[in-house]
């Protein structure tokens, strides 16, 4: 059985933010981006966008009844890559 997760405050209402395969207890999150609840990218600042993306991931996990400790893997898609981005991601991810 597949269950979709659409957390309160989702930037894209009506689109599933995650799908849970209950028979095997697997959950797959869709691409989470650094937007606010209205779907807007609030700041033109990489760290702020990463922080917003992690907040969106946290909201989706909470709506499914789990936390970051349940994650197996994160994949990042970055544009205009620079090595400093990895340092920023690690810093933002740490409190989660």
């Amino acid at each position: 059985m597949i269950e979709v997760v659409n957390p309160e405050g989702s930037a894209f209402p009506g689109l599933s933010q995650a799908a849970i395969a209950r028979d095997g207890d697997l959950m797959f999150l869709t691409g989470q981006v650094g937007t606010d609840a209205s779907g807007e990218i609030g700041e033109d600042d990489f760290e702020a966008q990463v922080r917003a993306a992690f907040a969106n991931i946290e909201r989706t996990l909470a709506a499914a009844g789990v936390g970051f400790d349940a994650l197996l893997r994160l994949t990042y898609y970055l544009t205009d890559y620079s090595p400093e981005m990895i340092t920023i991601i690690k810093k933002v991810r740490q409190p989660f």
Side-chain angles (χ1 to χ4, degrees):
M1 179 178 136
I2 302 294
E3 174 187 338
V4 297
V5 177
N6 296 300
E8 188 76 27
S10 172
F12 305 102
L15 297 177
S16 301
Q17 301 299 303
I20 302 171
R22 285 288 180 202
D23 287 341
D25 289 331
L26 294 175
M27 182 171 97
F28 300 90
L29 273 68
T30 60
Q32 302 290 315
V33 294
T35 58
D36 62 18
S38 68
E40 298 294 320
I41 295 177
E43 299 181 40
D44 190 24
D45 171 53
F46 180 71
E47 185 171 334
Q49 291 175 17
V50 172
R51 194 169 308 286
F54 272 92
N56 291 336
I57 293 169
E58 182 176 48
R59 183 172 22 272
T60 303
L61 292 171
V66 297
F68 274 87
D69 59 328
L71 290 179
L72 176 65
R73 176 180 163 182
L74 291 170
T75 301
Y76 304 99
Y77 294 95
L78 306 170
T79 60
D80 299 323
Y81 174 77
S82 68
E84 306 84 56
M85 291 175 148
I86 300 302
T87 303
I88 292 169
I89 291 169
K90 287 179 179 180
K91 178 179 115 179
V92 170
R93 183 181 69 189
Q94 188 63 36
F96 291 96

